[in-house]
Amino acid sequence: MSAVFRNLSNFFSVSFLLLCLLGTARGLDSRFVLIDVNVYNDAKVSSVTMRRAEELAGRVLQCAGVHVLWNDGQPSRNPSLSEPEGNPAAKFLLRIVPHSRNLADSVFGVSFLGTDNSGRYGDIFYAAAERLSETAHINLADVLGHVIAHELGHLLLGTNAHSPQGIMRPHWSSEELHSLAMGRLLFTPEQAQSIRDRATQPLTAALTR
Ligand SMILES: [Zn+2]
């Protein structure tokens, strides 16, 4: 990790807090979506890296009003969050695989959406995240966490989830990578609203059946 990014990452937590507060100030409502994510670590990523990656992905999603219950063979790490009655968590499955078998090296992951525009499954390509971590001199867990948030974004937003700004940008330039290191690579307010709106529509029902 370069000195610049190491210093920048010291402000990570503070930046997240401030940005979430700014989102609230911009008028995002207090509704939240609860999702349950099972992670299969086929790439055998270290538990330290996975824990940090899930923590960061959880923060990015929390800024969009999404609370994540992570499950990777262990009991939920968020015991304070229980499923509210009548509002069960939508369930997703992510698999961290060593690399893609047939997609370009520049692809970090893939999500599987059905014809009804909903999906529950996504693959994350570890080698692509590791390569970006090395070339951009950003902590691997930070990259992995944001890739996880991006793929969950696909599953939460449905088709056409990419946007010219924020974490759902299809290709991350140096500008996005700088934002990532600063903890500012987030869902846009419009995407956060869309996720909440979808969660109160057929999304939850479709994903929990
Ligand atoms: Zn994408």
Side-chain angles (χ1 to χ4, degrees):
M1 179 185 289
S2 72
V4 171
F5 280 114
R6 187 165 56 238
N7 289 336
L8 291 178
S9 64
N10 289 338
F11 297 99
F12 209 86
S13 298
V14 177
S15 298
F16 257 108
L17 178 61
L18 290 175
L19 286 162
C20 285
L21 290 174
L22 282 173
T24 305
R26 281 200 297 263
L28 289 178
D29 58 49
S30 58
R31 285 182 299 157
F32 72 87
V33 178
L34 187 63
I35 65 173
D36 187 297
V37 181
N38 266 308
V39 180
Y40 290 85
N41 184 5
D42 291 1
K44 300 192 179 350
V45 183
S46 76
S47 58
V48 171
T49 298
M50 279 310 305
R51 184 174 287 263
R52 168 75 176 162
E54 290 174 3
E55 180 186 328
L56 290 178
R59 286 191 201 169
V60 171
L61 285 155
Q62 190 149 25
C63 283
V66 179
H67 292 297
V68 184
L69 302 173
W70 299 103
N71 294 292
D72 32 5
Q74 304 295 324
S76 166
R77 294 194 195 136
N78 297 327
S80 61
L81 286 174
S82 57
E83 295 188 13
E85 245 178 81
N87 182 23
K91 299 188 186 306
F92 298 91
L93 189 156
L94 288 183
R95 192 175 291 277
I96 316 293
V97 297
H99 55 82
S100 169
R101 291 184 178 175
N102 50 18
L103 297 174
D105 287 348
S106 57
V107 177
F108 291 86
V110 62
S111 300
F112 303 97
L113 295 175
T115 53
D116 61 352
N117 198 23
S118 70
R120 288 187 286 183
Y121 305 101
D123 282 347
I124 308 289
F125 305 133
Y126 175 76
E130 187 178 45
R131 201 175 306 116
L132 178 61
S133 165
E134 290 170 358
T135 56
H137 305 289
I138 301 177
N139 183 282
L140 173 60
D142 292 9
V143 173
L144 201 54
H146 286 78
V147 171
I148 288 172
H150 179 101
E151 291 309 321
L152 284 172
H154 276 293
L155 298 175
L156 289 163
L157 288 161
T159 51
N160 302 318
H162 282 150
S163 61
Q165 296 167 343
I167 197 164
M168 293 312 293
R169 202 158 180 233
H171 302 289
W172 293 345
S173 65
S174 56
E175 188 179 338
E176 279 75 43
L177 293 174
H178 186 262
S179 294
L180 187 160
M182 292 285 287
R184 291 195 318 229
L185 193 60
L186 303 170
F187 291 94
T188 66
E190 294 76 19
Q191 287 165 338
Q193 192 65 53
S194 178
I195 289 171
R196 295 169 201 220
D197 290 346
R198 288 194 84 221
T200 57
Q201 298 298 313
L203 172 76
T204 301
L207 294 174
T208 53
R209 66 173 177 249

